[in-house]
Amino acid sequence: MAALLPSSRPPRAELHVHLEGTLEPDLAFELAARNGVGLPYPDPASLRAAYEFEDLQSFLDLYTAGMSVLRTEADFADLTRAYLARVARAGVRHAEISFDPQAHLVRGVPLEAVVGGIARVLERSEAEHGISTLLIAAFHRDRDSAEALDVLERLLAMDAPIVGVGLDNAEVGYPPRLFQDVFARAELAGLRRTAHAGEEGPAANVREALDALHAERIDHGISVVQDPGLVARVVEQEVPFTVCPVSNVRLRAVPSLAEHPLPAMIEAGMLVSINSDDPPYFDAYVDDVDDAVTAAYGLTRDQRAGLAAASFRGSFLAQDRVDVHLAEVEAWRTAGA
Ligand code: ADE
Ligand code: ZN
């Protein structure tokens, strides 16, 4: 009989993943065939080979082009199911998944198809994959904020099952304050708030996301280390940062994992989790990210448990659910002792 080995991976939450960024090349080709959409690559392998990026914008160009295959409610359901099935094997017990409504509306895909397809799979996620989920509608900061406000009103009117709002796409030149009205409306509606800030942009964007948008969580936020006063504040206020170290290297926000500020952020006492962002594009789901940072920084089991605990503490789950997950992380930590 096989020995019962302690699991090699901690249970964790994934808090920073773009649903559209989970599109695997194989599924892209399957959906392209189903919908009669052409792709400018002969096969999945050549598409995957194109995943070499200069910066965030070069990635966003391919990411946006890839979405052309997503047309029907069934496509969004298939995409969501594929992500959940994959991360169930990565130790993920809770996922907070962002989607980009505007990216589909501009292509004429109805909001009902997008939300309906995602929601019907998320409803069954706990039973089918053992993963609880929350959904976040992210707005494109390089588009007009009036459009974002309109989309938010439509999501509210249709009672979309979203826990909160986010802000993504090109950061430089589009400071958080442009979306103050949108986030104020979301707050008034009782929605939670997260925002990409300090990915390619300065630490000032992190400060502005907190002050102007009342962001409760920061996505990436790696430039915060340039401002020690701000680091002290986010430590004091226990602001969660959803860091995506492999994404940052692949998009050249930092040259290598060795030069990534993640260890400094942890050392400073920040509430930091590790996440995938857009896994197939960077060839790394969250378990691969765990492996990469464990190898790069020589993390101990205790430190890996600390990152996993931070993922639950930084989630939008109710405290009683967080406590259950923290006990599971603690059991994993001590099982290896
Ligand atoms: N959308 C998908 N991935 C993103 C990233 N890393 N930064 C901003 N917007 C994104
Ligand atoms: Zn992101």
Side-chain angles (χ1 to χ4, degrees), residues 16 18 21 56 59-60 63 100 140-141 167-171 196 199 220 244 247-248 251 277-278 282:
H16 182 163
H18 301 264
L56 174 58
F59 157 73
L60 289 171
Y63 164 83
D100 289 343
H140 280 171
R141 66 201 311 154
L167 191 63
D168 63 7
N169 253 29
E171 179 180 5
H196 283 55
E199 178 186 13
H220 295 291
C244 306
S247 161
N248 298 147
L251 300 188
D277 214 7
D278 305 284
F282 310 136

Side-chain angles (χ1 to χ4, degrees), residues 121-282:
V121 173
L122 295 189
E123 269 165 25
R124 304 192 45 77
S125 171
E126 202 141 9
E128 287 185 1
H129 305 284
I131 301 175
S132 60
T133 60
L134 292 170
L135 185 61
I136 295 168
F139 298 111
H140 280 171
R141 66 201 311 154
D142 50 351
R143 295 183 66 86
D144 203 278
S145 73
E147 180 184 278
L149 193 55
D150 178 56
V151 174
L152 174 58
E153 292 298 355
R154 290 174 61 183
L155 288 164
L156 292 171
M158 68 192 275
D159 208 14
I162 54 172
V163 71
V165 295
L167 191 63
D168 63 7
N169 253 29
E171 179 180 5
V172 174
Y174 304 99
R177 63 177 176 277
L178 297 173
F179 290 82
Q180 194 157 8
D181 290 356
V182 181
F183 274 60
R185 176 68 183 105
E187 186 171 359
L188 191 68
L191 294 174
R192 312 298 299 264
R193 297 162 307 283
T194 184
H196 283 55
E199 178 186 13
E200 280 190 341
N205 279 1
V206 174
R207 186 186 298 280
E208 206 173 284
L210 298 173
D211 292 338
L213 305 185
H214 299 173
E216 300 166 89
R217 195 158 82 194
I218 299 293
D219 296 317
H220 295 291
I222 54 176
S223 64
V224 72
V225 294
Q226 292 158 10
D227 183 339
L230 187 55
V231 170
R233 171 180 168 188
V234 298
V235 169
E236 218 266 313
Q237 297 180 345
E238 299 188 351
V239 178
F241 279 60
T242 67
V243 178
C244 306
V246 174
S247 161
N248 298 147
V249 172
R250 293 293 306 272
L251 300 188
R252 308 198 193 183
V254 294
S256 66
L257 283 182
E259 291 155 275
H260 195 283
L262 178 68
M265 296 167 88
I266 298 170
E267 185 62 27
M270 289 175 56
L271 185 58
V272 182
S273 61
I274 53 168
N275 303 269
S276 66
D277 214 7
D278 305 284
Y281 288 95
F282 310 136

Side-chain angles (χ1 to χ4, degrees), residues 100-112 114 147 150-151 154:
D100 289 343
Q102 288 154 291
H104 312 301
L105 287 168
V106 296
R107 301 183 294 111
V109 178
L111 201 50
E112 290 71 18
V114 179
E147 180 184 278
D150 178 56
V151 174
R154 290 174 61 183

Side-chain angles (χ1 to χ4, degrees), residues 306-324:
L307 287 168
S311 71
F312 292 114
R313 290 176 60 211
S315 74
F316 292 145
L317 283 171
Q319 190 60 48
D320 59 337
R321 293 299 309 154
V322 172
D323 290 343
V324 169

